[in-house]
Amino acid sequence: MSKTNAEKQNFMMKISEIIVDKRNLFFLLFIFACVFSIVASSWVKVEDDITMYLPKSTETRTGLDIMNREFITYGTAEVMVSNIGYKRAEQMAKDIESIDGVSSVEFENNDEHFKGTSAMFTVTFDGTSDDEVSIKALNKIRDMLSDYDIYVSSEVGDSATDALNQEMSVILVIAAIIIVLVLLFTSQSYAEVPVLIITFGVAALLNKGTNFMLGKISFISNSVSIVLQLALAIDYAIILCHRYTEERVNMPQREAVITALSKAIPEISSSCLTTVSGLAALITMEFKIGQDLAFVLIKAIMFSLLSVFVLMPGLLMLFGKSMERTKHKNFVPNIYFIGKFDLKTKKIMPAIFLMLMIAGCVLSNMCPYVFGQNSLPTIKKSETQIAKDKIKATFKQENTLALVVPAGNYEKEAALLSEMEQCPEVDSTLGLANTEAMHGYMLTESISPREFSELTEVDYEAAMALYAAYAVKQEDYGKIVNNLDAYSVPIIDMLVFLHDEIDEGYVSLDDETVKEVDENYDKIVDAKKQLQSEKYSRMLVNLNIDEEGDETFAFLDKMHKIMGKYYDSDAYIVGNSTSDYDLSKSFARDNIIISVMSALFVVIIILFTFNSAGLSVLLILIIQGSIWINFSFPYMMNRRLFFLGYLIVSSIQMGANIDYAIVISSRYTELKKTMNVHDAIVETINQAFPTIVTSGTIMAAAGALIGCISTNGIIASVGECIGRGTVISIILVMCVLPQILILGNSIVERTSFAIKKPAIRRSDSGTVFVNGRLRGRVSGIIDADVHGVISGEFDAIVNSNNIKEISGDDNANQATYLPQTAGGDASGGEKCENRDGSAKEEKTDE
């Protein structure tokens, strides 16, 4: 049998007493935890590459893993210099190439490198994008060209994490100012503000400091988690603070805090369930960035609950007297006019909303989604983004893809590259198989000893001896016996073998030939590091079509078919286009899963909160409608939306903003028990406004700040959608939900259900307090809902666990057991409900 309500309340009271009375111990523990979190925050590893969260089964993820393991990718930079002549640009290319750390500079007299008075230099460094040698070389280039109008686009030394952290610091400061102003406006005492700020600050610090336990977190989670934690969880602290203020009117400070906490724990826990359930839907995403963000934010909410339940009661005790001294008048105005407007438009607004919801559903499905970061628009642009835009506007941008295939067959590689070059979508290709060695011969082309002798000017007899030695090393003894002159070996392999033989002293050549062999060998080694390993070969294909889009995705399918002619398996296409392609395919699945799962989780919670299937559907319609309307704006504004913004924001909007609808519905359900539905809805809107405006303003402001300040397209997209979605949700729950509740009142009532409590059979005499339906004999027969005290003999079934025997000492205070809302009467009168729901007064014999 489940615990009684009295037992549950008693348990909450005991827990609350421990938290309040041991507050100094908890203060100490939180101080230790905060110090640890400050230190541990430096342990957090941030992943800047969003493709790392693609499923391992995708082509992009598999291909990237192979390339990272098998090849070296040197850092590159596109450097555009404006207002310069060609002769000066030609000399400038040589000057750049002479800088330590620069491997090569590509610059030719064509439209790809010189147009009008602008020159484009494609620089390749000696190290990767993260190597110090590349970073120093790029800085020297900047210094050398500081007197010119230059635009540099490069990943070398470009830390997205550092830039985002700086931006989010600015956002957090501005958000903190807005929060303080909002709290000052909606609070009842100035001293409430430091209590709320400290509570949230500790929760945010604990969450940030424990992110290292997740291994690596994405730059998205790292940057937006604090702001979103604030927006999602500030309600919890406000609820406890308001509870304390209400209880303090009639109780001493300690008892007020204990009582407020015991009442707030169930209320806040229920409230956070909807938010957590919406975030939990992100875990089901195939694209694991959703899982990453969900774990970070759910952990953030848990730390917010911990701070509110354990730290904040002590802060209320600490700041209690200051809160009483700094009370101020209520700045939040009464908004009865909105409720009256809702009544006047109860037959208009639902129809308008229905049309908007249908239109939003259609338009949101036509939203122009993008899957790559390079084409995302932002209000504010970084220096790198400005440079990229300027370069893109002046020169044609190439879309480069890498083909990763099994190594060992140069003929297949040459045929594959040749067929790729025949496609009109391809500008150029690069691989060992089509790289010139010397005098028109390709590196991978097989040549005989005589051809090798002519190519390298090595004596023919020496060439024959070299080929014989090579055959011995390869254990190909048959070639030595059977016509060695017809033995063909790829140039790349023979040049490497010749270099090794010279180093070991087996072959002697003139100094000029040795120098040429050494130069070719260095180029071959460098090329093989980038294009060939023991297991795989890598080739580059430059496209003249956009990074993403129907045309690009269709051509990727064509490329796969061409590769399939030469390789049955282990052949991959890797690049921004394939990444976008994989993301577009995962989006189709994730979109359905997120929409269904988030709505399902929230429906279940609402269903058991209100015990009404109809009300659950009505509330979900409001929030789902707000989501559709929110994401119809990008289509109407002709602005591309990053797909991840839709997935993340729709989940957060469903989980967080449903709280606004629950607040309205809960108050309305309670108030309509004591007043007619019209008066109840007007009073509901007025009472719910302070809670909704506080939370909603903070969340909308946080989203808007992220959208306006962040230069990262993904982060800005998420922030903009959250801010706009929150405003839409507030408008709908304040100006549409009330009308729907009134018109749908009969639906709510007809679809309501009650969880039947176990009946208790009691036979007794004396005085007992009963709160529930009672059917049986009480010095007569009774079948009614009883809320009061019975004195005398009774034998009945009570459909409630709330039945308590009153001792003799309590008989004089029977009125304390009579709930005022039930019409209890200290004189012994009790109010009972007949089967038809009407009430009557009965007198008991004392």
Side-chain angles (χ1 to χ4, degrees), residues 784-834:
D785 287 329
V786 178
H787 305 275
V789 176
I790 295 178
S791 296
E793 296 180 354
F794 71 95
D795 180 15
I797 294 175
V798 183
N799 288 318
S800 170
N801 287 327
N802 202 348
I803 179 169
K804 181 177 180 180
E805 186 172 350
I806 302 175
S807 65
D809 295 337
D810 292 333
N811 283 338
N813 298 312
Q814 291 179 15
T816 60
Y817 294 93
L818 298 174
Q820 297 303 313
T821 57
D825 191 332
S827 66
E830 53 188 331
K831 188 174 182 179
C832 302
E833 293 181 1
N834 292 323

Side-chain angles (χ1 to χ4, degrees), residues 539-797:
M539 296 165 278
L540 303 180
V541 178
N542 294 317
L543 308 183
N544 53 32
I545 53 179
D546 291 337
E547 181 181 301
E548 63 176 287
D550 293 339
E551 181 186 6
T552 304
F553 294 159
F555 183 64
L556 288 177
D557 292 333
K558 182 179 179 180
M559 290 179 70
H560 281 113
K561 291 179 180 178
I562 295 174
M563 293 176 68
K565 296 179 182 179
Y566 304 96
Y567 301 95
D568 295 332
S569 61
D570 269 1
Y572 308 96
I573 304 174
V574 184
N576 289 336
S577 291
T578 52
S579 172
D580 299 344
Y581 188 41
D582 288 337
L583 290 173
S584 69
K585 290 191 292 186
S586 70
F587 174 66
R589 172 193 176 276
D590 288 340
N591 187 18
I592 296 174
I593 293 295
I594 290 295
S595 300
V596 172
M597 296 301 291
S598 58
L600 181 62
F601 289 156
V602 173
V603 163
I604 292 173
I605 293 171
I606 298 175
L607 192 64
F608 287 98
T609 299
F610 293 101
N611 295 338
S612 173
L615 184 57
S616 301
V617 173
L618 293 178
L619 297 188
I620 285 296
L621 280 178
I622 289 292
I623 300 303
Q624 186 59 61
S626 72
I627 293 173
W628 284 333
I629 294 172
N630 184 17
F631 289 104
S632 66
F633 276 81
Y635 174 79
M636 293 187 291
M637 298 167 63
N638 195 26
R639 291 187 61 184
R640 291 172 292 182
L641 175 68
F642 190 59
F643 80 104
L644 196 58
Y646 179 86
L647 296 177
I648 292 175
V649 175
S650 61
S651 178
I652 291 176
Q653 193 173 344
M654 176 63 75
N657 294 356
I658 193 68
D659 282 348
Y660 307 151
I662 291 176
V663 168
I664 296 285
S665 303
S666 298
R667 291 183 183 271
Y668 172 68
T669 302
E670 290 296 322
L671 289 175
K672 73 177 183 179
K673 294 177 180 178
T674 57
M675 57 181 70
N676 64 64
V677 293
H678 289 177
D679 292 340
I681 205 66
V682 172
E683 185 61 32
T684 293
I685 298 300
N686 188 63
Q687 290 184 13
F689 178 68
T691 300
I692 294 175
V693 75
T694 303
S695 174
T697 301
I698 292 173
M699 191 164 185
L705 283 172
I706 293 173
C708 293
I709 295 178
S710 179
T711 58
N712 182 281
I714 299 175
I715 305 299
S717 176
V718 171
E720 180 183 350
C721 292
I722 286 178
R724 184 176 60 233
T726 300
V727 173
I728 293 172
S729 296
I730 292 174
I731 292 174
L732 291 183
V733 298
M734 295 292 289
C735 300
V736 176
L737 178 61
Q739 295 93 322
I740 292 178
L741 289 176
I742 294 174
L743 296 178
N745 191 62
S746 60
I747 297 176
V748 173
E749 295 295 336
R750 291 175 183 175
T751 59
S752 295
F753 61 90
I755 300 176
K756 190 174 182 180
K757 298 179 180 179
I760 304 173
R761 182 86 183 188
R762 289 289 295 267
S763 296
D764 208 342
S765 62
T767 303
V768 295
F769 167 71
V770 176
N771 183 17
R773 189 159 188 86
L774 185 146
R775 181 166 60 87
R777 184 180 182 83
V778 184
S779 296
I781 296 175
I782 185 172
D783 185 358
D785 287 329
V786 178
H787 305 275
V789 176
I790 295 178
S791 296
E793 296 180 354
F794 71 95
D795 180 15
I797 294 175

